């Protein structure tokens, strides 16, 4: 077999060499600047297929070619066809972006096809670009989830081919963030490519030759290329089987001979494109959605154009070649041109007047919540399992390592798929969204079953309790009482319930637990059998009650244990009754103030969707009248005040919104706002878009701030863009920005700040001084004509509009003396612990658990211990036997973290996805020149033993063979 393959490769080399010379493409691994003729335009053509990991069809339907009546696509055929074409001609190139599809294809191939594919990859013909599991969204995906999905793809590529992608490829996401630029720079990418920017910005950049630039974020920078024609081929030159394009005929004896005229058209097009870019080297895509299923047909027609144009150099002064983004970037880098810069982002995106893609920031609220919650769950359980693998204290983990990691892989792939730019965005068809949800729930169920088995063993080991009849359950605060079956049955039958909390917060701060309980008084014990105080609040005077208690996190513990039992005689948590004299609250103009904290006004309003030709839809937000104020959403029916020992709750009931405003005693000037929207009623043909508005006395003028995917804050200004004069046609929708964590306003003179943190991606703005506005829910009756083909009209099983609970944290502080306040609440929210309930025989712990057996290894404890004032998040992920990715994010606006010296592990810094050493990437990093008078980027970002504020860094941990835990 090896002899046959070697003979075939020799034949292939000779054949391809002759063909390459005939085509005159001058293809080399690296562009030679010395041969660059300044009078010639060089065009790099990039064959690719844009493959959505779900949109109009599900992920697997797109791969296998199922349900083609909805949309023709069969990605397995594309890869088959491309690989065959490349193998027979070394001049051909193709790029593969989504590993989700490529892994499916790879797993189905025999060794012969795999070997041929490896040869094509090594030869530079088949190249992985981006290399994540999918092409993630940028506005609605959280930074941790973006990093995880990219890591999943990069580690798979590294394991199978020992290579690292070098280019970011974000051609379809609907606007672009500074967080994505920073993350790509940290991944060791030389450049990133995208297409969708505001039409006003695009037109200006084409006129001013600013289609290529350097994006600069703090000390990181990355070369940025904006595509000329989205991700399509030049108009009239897409020879895909999906398009009815006449072929190129170069037979001069044929009456259909047309290569000369078609070449003239193509050359004129590229010369026009050249007017928008610096230099004489261009790049253009050859692709479309789910294209290239008939690669020979596409290549053959392009071959004829290349041969004709390159063969008529004196006429055209143009040379065209098949290429890849990597080759293109290397070529233009050698020209040493000077580029403009950009330090802000490309948000929001509009593709034409009155068409701002700011609705998808909020679309499909339940899917967005599920993704956000499970993403945070994944961070904690990965670290938990990796720690147990390291310390060797769990026999179940050691024996069932592969089974656990297989479950982890299923869960990771589900989460990664949902970062796709038509998944987390809420812009897929309803049945595809249902498939995304099923995928997430299946992955969560598989890893949870493993957690339950681990927890059973640890309870036996640490608590020394009998567990033969133990049952486990997860029940989130926002679920109904009927979902918390174990908790209710145990407590109603007079039995205790155990709360097992997997917590990864690394500072000894106070946090609270909120769980569903029946309407009975209770006693709470911690693991030392100390009694804790709690409050039970039953808003609707039924069995759907909530227990609140506060605990102080012990960073050295991996698990915190509590027990709760019914106790009518001497309870530590009693039912809190509403006050006889409630707060005076009769209108939305009344201020709310609890426990002497800062005051604010709270209103819920709605925008009626436009009746004009451009409707609001899954993507686009367009209110009916941009000059109108939003309408009040529901009249106030009743309100009540509950004052407990730990918490005060002000309950407001409107027609369609039930609100709980909570003030916990340990959080100064901070409120939790829980909004339950029972439905969005629809009348006539208008959709409704629901906003929550917080009004304060802070003089913020027309400036506000939003986070970038949970990372650095971005300054926003009403009706303004930093790099061009904005033509304002939508003063509401055009001022909406994505909020993944924090929306805030501040008085820059006094330092006063008010920030609101959300529990999922939402659109946000500040249309008036002192106000914060978040769009929290949408229900629409029209499609916005951007491809999905159905209105965003989510319903409950009873046919009414989708109900949903939303959680927000509202905090007031002064940035001069509390610069990290908002970030601390983001930290607490991101590290909300995993709570697992279990039944237990004893009311209290058999023996007080004071000395914990399950602890961090000595070096890991050093790595997980915050020092200084930094607010630091730590991540740990298994990537091989005795190898781990350790990632650290200094979330704070101020304060640094010092990396400790280690005894048990070798630690070396890597790029963000752990696929290459940081120093190795720096050695081969491409540097760029910028135009005079502009901010100069750092050639070498500062990475030493000090982790700076807002810095995100990754290391590879390898356990030393002689280390002892």
């Amino acid at each position: 077999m090896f002899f046959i393959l070697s003979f075939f490769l020799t034949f292939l080399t000779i054949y391809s060499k002759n063909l390459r010379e005939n085509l005159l493409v001058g293809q080399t691994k690296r562009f030679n600047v010395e041969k660059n003729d300044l009078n010639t335009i060089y065009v790099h053509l990039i064959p690719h297929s844009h493959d959505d990991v779900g949109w109009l069809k599900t992920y697997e339907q797109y791969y296998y070619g199922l349900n083609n009546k909805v949309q023709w696509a069969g990605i397995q055929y594309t890869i088959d066809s491309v690989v065959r074409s490349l193998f027979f001609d070394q001049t051909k190139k193709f790029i593969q972006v989504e590993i989700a599809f490529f892994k499916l294809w790879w797993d189905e191939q025999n060794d012969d096809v795999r070997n041929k594919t490896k040869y094509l990859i090594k030869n530079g013909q088949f190249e992985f670009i981006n290399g994540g599991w999918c092409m993630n969204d940028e506005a609605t995906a959280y930074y941790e989830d973006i990093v995880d999905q990219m890591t999943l793809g990069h580690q798979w590529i590294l394991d199978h081919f020992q290579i690292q992608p070098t280019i970011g490829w974000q051609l379809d996401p609907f606007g672009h963030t500074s967080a994505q630029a920073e993350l790509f720079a940290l991944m060791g990418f030389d450049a990133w490519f995208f297409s969708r920017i505001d039409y006003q910005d695009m037109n200006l950049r084409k006129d001013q030759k600013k289609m290529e630039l350097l994006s600069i974020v703090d000390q990181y920078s990355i070369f940025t290329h904006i595509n000329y024609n989205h991700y399509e081929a030049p108009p009239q030159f897409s020879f895909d089987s999906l398009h009815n394009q006449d072929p190129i005929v170069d037979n001069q004896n044929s009456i259909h001979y047309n290569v000369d005229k078609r070449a003239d058209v193509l050359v004129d097009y590229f010369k026009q494109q050249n007017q928008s870019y610096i230099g004489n080297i261009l790049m253009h895509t050859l692709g479309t959605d789910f294209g290239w299923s008939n690669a020979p047909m596409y290549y053959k027609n392009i071959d004829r154009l290349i041969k004709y144009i390159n063969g008529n150099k004196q006429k055209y002064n143009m040379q065209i070649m098949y290429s890849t983004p990597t080759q293109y970037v290397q070529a233009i880098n050698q020209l040493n041109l000077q580029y403009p810069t950009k330090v802000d982002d490309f948000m929001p995106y509009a593709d034409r007047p009155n068409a701002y893609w700011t609705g998808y920031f909020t679309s499909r609220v339940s899917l967005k919540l599920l993704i956000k919650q499970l993403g945070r769950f994944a961070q904690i359980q990965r670290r938990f399992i990796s720690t147990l693998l390291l310390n060797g204290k769990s026999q179940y983990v050691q024996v069932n390592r592969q089974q656990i990691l297989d479950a982890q892989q299923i869960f990771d792939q589900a989460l990664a798929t949902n970062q796709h730019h038509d998944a987390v965005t809420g812009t897929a068809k309803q049945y595809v969204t249902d498939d995304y949800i099923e995928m997430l729930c299946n992955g969560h169920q598989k890893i949870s079953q493993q957690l339950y088995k681990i927890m059973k063993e640890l309870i036996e080991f640490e608590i020394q309790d009998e567990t033969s009849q133990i049952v486990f359950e997860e029940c989130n605060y926002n679920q109904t009482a009927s979902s918390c079956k174990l908790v209710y049955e145990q407590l109603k039958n007079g039995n205790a319930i155990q709360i097992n909390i997997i917590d990864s917060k690394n500072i000894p701060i106070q946090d609270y637990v909120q769980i569903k309980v029946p309407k009975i008084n209770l006693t709470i014990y911690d693991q030392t059998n100390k009694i804790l105080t709690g409050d039970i609040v039953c808003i609707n005077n039924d069995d759907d009650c909530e227990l609140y208690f506060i605990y102080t996190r012990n960073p050295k513990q991996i698990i915190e244990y509590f027990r709760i039992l019914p106790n009518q005689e001497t309870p530590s948590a009693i039912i809190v009754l509403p006050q006889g004299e409630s707060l005076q609250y009769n209108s939305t103009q009344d201020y709310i103030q609890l426990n002497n904290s800062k005051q604010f006004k709270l209103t819920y309003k709605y925008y009626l969707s436009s009746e004009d030709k451009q409707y609001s839809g899954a993507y686009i937000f367009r209110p009916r009248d941009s000059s109108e104020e939003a309408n009040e959403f529901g009249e106030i029916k009743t309100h009540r005040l509950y004052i407990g020992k730990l918490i005060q709750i002000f309950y407001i009931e409107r027609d369609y919104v039930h609100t709980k405003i909570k003030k916990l005693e340990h959080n100064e000037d901070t409120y939790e706002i829980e909004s339950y929207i029972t439905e969005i009623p629809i009348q006539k043909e208008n959709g409704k878009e629901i906003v929550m508005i917080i009004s304060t006395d802070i003089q913020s003028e027309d400036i506000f701030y939003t986070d970038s995917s949970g990372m650095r804050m971005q300054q926003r200004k009403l009706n303004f863009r930093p790099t061009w004069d904005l033509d304002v046609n939508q003063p509401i929708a055009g001022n909406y920005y994505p909020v993944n964590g924090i929306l805030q306003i501040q008085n820059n003179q006094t330092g006063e700040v008010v920030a609101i943190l959300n529990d999922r991606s939402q659109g946000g703005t500040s249309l008036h001084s002192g106000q914060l506005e978040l769009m929290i829910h949408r229900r629409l009756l029209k499609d916005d004509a951007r491809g999905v083909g159905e209105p965003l009209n989510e319903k409950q099983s009873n046919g009414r509009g989708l109900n949903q609970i939303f959680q927000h944290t509202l905090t007031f502080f002064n940035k001069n003396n509390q610069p990290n306040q908002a970030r601390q609440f983001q930290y607490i929210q991101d590290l909300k612990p995993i709570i697992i309930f279990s039944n237990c025989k004893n009311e209290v712990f058999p023996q007080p658990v004071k000395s914990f057996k399950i602890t961090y290894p000595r070096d890991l404890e050093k790595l997980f211990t915050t020092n200084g004032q930094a607010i630091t998040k730590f991540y740990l992920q298994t990537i091989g036997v005795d190898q781990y990715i350790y990632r650290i994010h200094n979330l704070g606006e101020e304060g640094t973290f010092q990396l400790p010296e280690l005894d048990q592990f070798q630690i070396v810094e890597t790029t963000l996805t752990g696929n290459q050493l940081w120093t190795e990437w720096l050695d081969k990093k491409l540097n760029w020149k910028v135009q005079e008078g502009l901010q100069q980027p750092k050639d070498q970002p500062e990475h030493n033993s000090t982790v700076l504020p807002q810095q995100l860094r990754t290391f590879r941990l390898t356990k030393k063979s002689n280390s002892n835990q």
Side-chain angles (χ1 to χ4, degrees):
M1 181 67 190
F2 177 77
F3 173 78
I4 295 172
L5 182 60
S6 298
F7 173 80
F8 186 73
L9 291 178
T10 302
F11 165 77
L12 175 65
T13 302
I14 297 170
Y15 170 80
S16 297
K17 181 176 184 294
N18 293 332
L19 182 60
R20 180 166 64 251
E21 291 173 351
N22 288 335
L23 290 177
L24 300 172
V25 297
Q27 193 74 49
T28 57
K29 291 276 185 175
R30 191 174 178 90
F31 180 81
N32 189 340
V33 70
E34 295 178 358
K35 295 182 179 180
N36 180 27
D37 180 355
L38 295 178
N39 295 317
T40 300
I41 296 175
Y42 298 87
V43 183
H44 291 241
L45 296 179
I46 314 296
H48 81 106
S49 176
H50 178 70
D51 300 331
D52 290 310
V53 188
W55 180 38
L56 307 183
K57 304 200 299 187
T58 68
Y59 158 51
E60 289 197 353
Q61 285 176 342
Y62 273 136
Y63 176 76
Y64 290 112
L66 300 167
N67 202 13
N68 276 343
K69 64 183 180 181
V70 172
Q71 183 182 22
W72 198 100
I75 293 166
Q76 60 174 332
Y77 309 126
T78 295
I79 303 177
D80 284 343
S81 181
V82 164
V83 166
R84 284 195 295 268
S85 292
L86 298 185
F87 197 66
F88 282 98
D89 184 354
Q90 287 187 331
T91 67
K92 302 294 188 290
K93 309 283 183 181
F94 194 84
I95 63 171
Q96 175 67 34
V97 178
E98 296 86 2
I99 299 305
F101 288 125
F102 188 79
K103 182 183 181 300
L104 265 180
W105 179 84
W106 181 263
D107 289 346
E108 294 176 348
Q109 306 310 306
N110 58 36
D111 288 343
D112 180 52
V113 175
R114 288 184 178 185
N115 287 332
K116 290 175 180 176
T117 306
K118 286 181 178 180
Y119 167 79
L120 296 174
I121 293 169
K122 185 177 180 180
N123 199 41
Q125 294 177 255
F126 191 96
E127 185 172 319
F128 293 111
I129 297 295
N130 216 59
W133 191 253
C134 67
M135 186 187 296
N136 63 261
D137 182 54
E138 299 181 33
T140 60
Y142 203 56
Y143 78 97
E144 293 175 335
D145 299 330
I146 294 172
V147 173
D148 285 345
Q149 78 88 12
M150 292 297 293
T151 300
L152 185 65
H154 284 190
Q155 288 294 320
W156 189 89
I157 293 171
L158 185 66
D159 288 345
H160 289 79
F161 307 107
Q162 296 75 53
I163 57 175
Q164 299 87 20
T166 62
I167 300 292
W169 191 257
Q170 291 287 106
L171 299 197
D172 203 29
F174 326 127
H176 305 280
T177 64
S178 60
Q180 191 76 44
E182 181 174 3
L183 294 175
F184 276 171
L186 287 165
M187 290 174 197
F189 282 178
D190 289 324
W192 67 322
F193 292 69
F194 54 72
S195 305
R196 294 189 188 270
I197 65 171
D198 188 285
Y199 71 96
Q200 296 180 41
D201 192 12
M202 176 71 85
N203 293 337
L204 190 64
R205 287 183 177 279
K206 285 183 175 180
D207 289 343
Q208 297 180 347
K209 289 198 169 190
K210 291 185 176 180
M211 296 289 282
E212 292 180 323
L213 60 140
L214 251 65
S215 296
I216 301 176
V217 185
D218 194 56
Q219 60 175 317
Y220 305 104
S221 62
I222 186 168
F223 183 80
T224 305
H225 175 98
I226 303 167
N227 276 14
Y228 189 71
N229 184 35
H230 197 34
Y231 51 69
E232 300 290 331
Q236 304 176 48
F237 290 91
S238 176
F239 299 102
D240 195 89
S241 55
L242 295 173
H243 300 148
N244 296 319
Q245 185 62 57
D246 285 341
I248 301 299
V249 181
D250 62 353
N251 180 358
Q252 294 185 1
N253 296 321
S254 171
I255 61 171
H256 301 292
Y257 178 80
N258 64 0
V259 67
D260 52 348
K261 292 180 180 179
R262 299 301 303 283
D264 288 348
V265 173
L266 185 61
V267 167
D268 286 345
Y269 175 84
F270 286 137
K271 287 182 176 179
Q272 181 64 38
Q273 179 185 350
N274 189 234
Q275 300 303 308
S276 296
Y277 293 83
I278 301 171
N280 63 327
I281 303 177
L282 300 179
M283 185 221 83
H284 205 292
T285 50
L286 293 177
T288 190
D289 288 346
F290 309 103
W292 286 88
S293 59
N294 188 343
M297 181 172 74
Y298 210 137
Y299 281 125
K300 177 172 285 189
N301 284 278
I302 297 297
D303 283 348
R304 289 171 176 168
L305 285 165
I306 290 175
K307 180 180 178 182
Y308 186 84
I309 293 170
N310 291 358
N312 288 275
K313 185 175 182 181
Q314 288 187 336
K315 177 182 178 181
Y316 293 126
N317 288 323
M318 185 171 291
Q319 184 174 338
I320 303 179
M321 63 199 79
Y322 292 117
S323 186
T324 68
T326 302
Q327 288 183 259
Y328 171 72
V329 168
Q330 290 172 343
I332 59 171
N333 179 257
Q334 293 179 69
L335 297 181
N336 288 317
L337 300 173
Q338 293 183 337
Y339 292 94
T341 62
K342 187 173 175 68
V343 296
D344 59 306
D345 60 11
F346 290 89
M347 286 288 174
Y349 166 62
D351 59 352
R352 64 190 66 164
N354 302 312
Y356 279 94
W357 296 43
T358 52
Y360 79 95
F361 299 160
T362 301
S363 295
R364 296 205 185 276
V365 294
S366 58
L367 175 64
K368 280 180 165 62
L369 177 65
L370 184 62
I371 293 170
K372 186 73 176 285
Q373 285 183 332
L374 291 184
R376 312 295 66 74
F377 175 97
Q379 304 297 336
I380 296 171
Q381 62 82 198
R382 269 195 220 107
R383 176 171 146 177
F384 174 64
I385 289 172
S386 296
T387 300
L388 293 177
L389 282 168
L390 268 171
N391 67 18
K393 296 293 179 68
S394 169
Q395 184 179 358
Y396 178 83
V397 170
Q398 303 303 321
V399 171
N400 297 280
R401 181 182 190 276
Q402 193 56 52
Q403 184 179 343
I404 294 169
L405 294 181
D406 288 346
Q408 178 73 68
Q409 188 80 351
I410 293 170
F411 186 36
D412 288 347
Q413 289 175 7
L415 275 169
T417 301
N418 274 270
Q419 307 314 312
H420 168 60
H421 59 269
D422 281 308
V424 66
T425 53
T427 55
K429 283 187 176 292
Q430 182 63 59
Y431 85 98
V432 178
T433 300
D434 295 340
D435 185 67
Y436 286 137
I437 292 171
E438 183 178 353
M439 191 185 302
L440 286 169
C441 293
N442 178 60
H444 175 250
Q445 188 267 340
K446 287 187 181 302
I447 196 63
S448 289
Q449 290 302 316
Q450 294 299 321
L451 285 180
Y452 298 162
K453 293 174 182 178
I454 295 169
M455 192 63 66
K456 179 177 185 294
E457 180 191 46
L458 297 187
I459 289 172
E460 292 175 351
F461 187 50
E462 286 207 316
I463 300 177
Q464 298 181 7
D465 208 355
E466 202 277 323
T467 61
S468 61
Q469 302 298 317
I470 198 167
V471 178
F472 294 98
E473 175 183 81
E474 290 172 72
C475 176
N476 292 325
Y477 69 89
N478 60 347
Q479 291 181 284
T480 60
S482 60
S483 302
C484 306
K485 186 177 179 182
L486 175 66
V487 174
Y488 273 66
E489 284 184 354
Q490 284 290 111
L491 294 178
K492 280 191 166 185
N493 291 331
N495 300 319
I497 196 82
Q498 181 164 308
I499 306 175
N500 312 286
I501 297 180
I502 305 173
D503 202 335
S504 59
K505 292 189 288 294
N506 301 96
I507 48 180
I509 59 175
Q510 286 189 312
D511 199 1
Y512 73 96
V513 174
Q514 173 186 348
I515 60 174
K516 293 282 187 182
V517 293
K519 191 177 181 181
I520 52 178
N521 292 332
L522 304 167
T523 294
I524 310 160
Y525 292 94
D526 69 9
Q527 58 256 338
T528 68
N529 284 330
K530 175 185 174 182
I531 294 177
L532 303 179
T533 300
D535 288 323
I536 302 169
V537 181
C538 308
I539 295 291
N540 297 316
N541 201 33
D542 57 18
D543 245 7
D544 193 359
C545 304
E546 290 170 337
L547 166 67
Y548 300 86
F549 67 90
I550 296 172
Y551 73 102
T552 301
R553 168 71 181 137
N554 181 354
K556 294 187 177 182
Q557 289 181 216
I558 295 177
I559 306 174
E560 308 250 11
Y561 301 101
F562 300 91
R563 286 194 176 178
I564 301 172
L565 61 148
N567 188 338
Q568 297 299 335
E569 297 179 359
T570 57
S572 66
I574 62 173
I575 296 168
V576 179
L577 299 176
Q579 297 290 295
E581 294 184 5
S582 181
L583 283 175
Q584 294 300 311
Y585 190 77
N586 300 310
S587 95
T588 56
Q589 298 306 308
D590 291 337
Y591 278 99
I592 297 169
Q593 183 181 37
L594 298 178
N595 202 16
N596 296 317
S597 288
K598 299 285 188 181
Q599 62 180 14
F600 65 97
K601 296 176 184 176
L602 171 67
T603 55
Y604 297 90
K605 295 188 176 184
Y606 69 89
Y607 295 104
L608 281 174
S609 301
S610 173
E611 298 172 333
D612 201 353
K613 293 180 180 179
Q614 179 56 71
Y615 305 118
S616 272
Y619 302 91
I620 289 172
F621 166 41
R622 187 185 181 191
R624 184 176 66 178
D625 189 342
S626 290
S627 64
E628 289 183 356
E629 288 288 326
N631 306 285
E632 294 286 341
F633 185 59
E635 295 183 4
I636 297 173
K637 298 299 183 183
T638 185
H639 58 274
R640 297 188 291 274
L641 177 64
Y642 298 81
I643 300 179
K645 297 176 182 178
L646 306 176
I647 191 170
Q648 292 187 17
I649 298 179
F650 184 43
Y651 175 73
I652 309 165
E653 186 172 318
R654 293 173 170 83
D655 287 321
Y656 307 108
V657 190
H658 302 168
T659 307
K660 299 173 189 173
I661 301 169
K662 308 172 188 178
K663 175 65 185 69
L664 287 141
E665 66 169 14
H666 68 290
N667 289 332
E668 184 180 357
D669 288 330
T670 300
Y671 299 88
E672 302 286 338
I673 302 175
E674 181 179 306
S675 308
Y676 173 48
I677 294 184
T678 59
E679 68 165 324
I680 301 177
I682 295 293
Q683 295 143 358
K684 298 182 180 179
E685 294 184 354
N686 287 114
K688 290 181 181 176
E689 324 208 34
I690 312 303
V691 298
M692 181 175 75
I693 301 173
I694 302 292
S695 301
T696 71
D697 295 329
I698 289 178
Q699 300 300 308
S700 57
E701 307 304 332
D702 58 355
I703 302 294
F704 59 103
Y705 300 82
T706 63
D707 69 282
S708 184
S709 301
M711 297 179 70
R712 300 177 193 272
M713 300 299 291
Q714 311 290 299
Q715 179 176 295
R716 313 296 189 185
K717 184 177 181 180
L718 283 178
N719 301 320
F720 176 79
R721 300 294 186 266
T723 55
W724 85 91
D725 293 331
L726 177 66
D727 180 14
V728 179
N729 51 61
Q730 285 292 313
I732 297 175
N735 283 302
Y736 258 71
Y737 292 85
V739 180
N740 254 298
I742 303 171
L743 170 67
Q744 76 178 39
I745 53 175
Q746 61 192 45
N747 183 324
N748 287 320
Q749 301 298 317
T750 65
E752 294 174 286
V753 180
V754 59
I756 190 165
L757 291 83
N758 53 7
D759 61 353
R760 74 201 82 183
S761 166
Q762 290 163 340
T765 187
S766 176
L767 297 176
H768 303 283
S769 181
Q771 278 192 358
L772 297 165
E773 176 174 320
L774 285 170
M775 182 183 292
I776 58 176
H777 204 351
R778 326 176 67 212
R779 186 183 180 192
L780 308 169
L781 297 179
K782 300 285 181 66
D783 176 55
D784 54 16
R786 291 306 185 275
V788 73
E790 62 184 35
L792 185 72
N793 187 10
E794 296 183 286
K795 299 177 183 179
Q796 305 173 51
S797 57
N798 60 11
R800 299 171 67 181
L802 180 69
N803 57 354
Q804 193 73 186
I805 295 175
F806 303 89
Q807 293 279 345
H808 295 90
T809 300
L810 182 70
T811 184
F812 297 80
F813 60 97
N814 191 296
K815 65 178 182 139
N816 296 327
N817 51 37
Q818 297 171 293
N820 290 336
Q821 173 97 336
R823 294 299 188 178
Q824 178 152 323
F825 283 106
Q826 181 185 356
Y827 172 88
I828 292 171
Q829 183 167 290
D830 284 355
L831 297 179
K832 194 172 287 291
I834 297 173
I835 298 178
I836 300 174
F837 300 97
S838 59
N839 56 333
C840 51
K841 287 192 173 182
N842 301 300
E843 293 185 346
V844 297
F845 290 94
Q847 335 177 15
V849 186
K850 294 179 179 178
S851 177
F852 287 87
K853 301 178 177 66
I854 306 299
T855 56
Y856 292 115
R858 186 173 63 253
D859 273 357
L860 214 53
E861 186 174 328
K862 291 180 187 178
L863 290 170
F864 287 165
T865 301
T866 296
N867 51 57
Q869 298 301 310
I871 297 179
T872 317
K873 293 165 70 175
F874 304 101
Y875 308 84
L876 191 67
Q877 178 179 348
T878 305
I879 57 170
V881 177
D882 290 336
Q883 281 208 344
Y884 302 83
I885 287 177
Y886 166 72
R887 191 173 289 120
I888 177 170
H889 186 201
N890 185 352
L891 191 62
E893 303 291 339
E894 291 187 8
T896 61
F897 175 80
Q898 296 297 320
L899 290 165
E901 293 185 5
L902 304 182
D903 302 317
Q904 302 164 297
F905 294 93
Q906 292 176 336
I907 182 169
V908 59
E909 186 160 12
T910 68
T911 50
L912 191 57
T913 57
N915 66 348
Q916 60 184 315
L917 297 181
W918 180 257
T919 52
E920 289 180 356
W921 174 66
L922 287 180
D923 288 341
K924 59 186 178 182
K925 177 179 178 290
L926 298 181
N927 293 317
W928 304 86
K929 293 180 179 180
V930 301
Q931 295 170 353
E932 290 184 11
L934 299 178
Q935 176 182 337
Q936 296 292 319
K938 280 191 175 184
D939 290 340
Q940 300 285 315
E942 183 181 348
H943 281 204
N944 51 38
S945 61
T946 301
V947 182
L948 302 172
Q950 292 288 295
Q951 202 169 48
L952 176 62
R953 292 168 62 182
T954 301
F955 302 83
R956 185 184 303 149
L957 285 181
T958 305
K959 188 176 174 183
K960 295 179 181 177
S961 57
N962 59 348
S963 66
N964 295 315
Q965 303 302 319

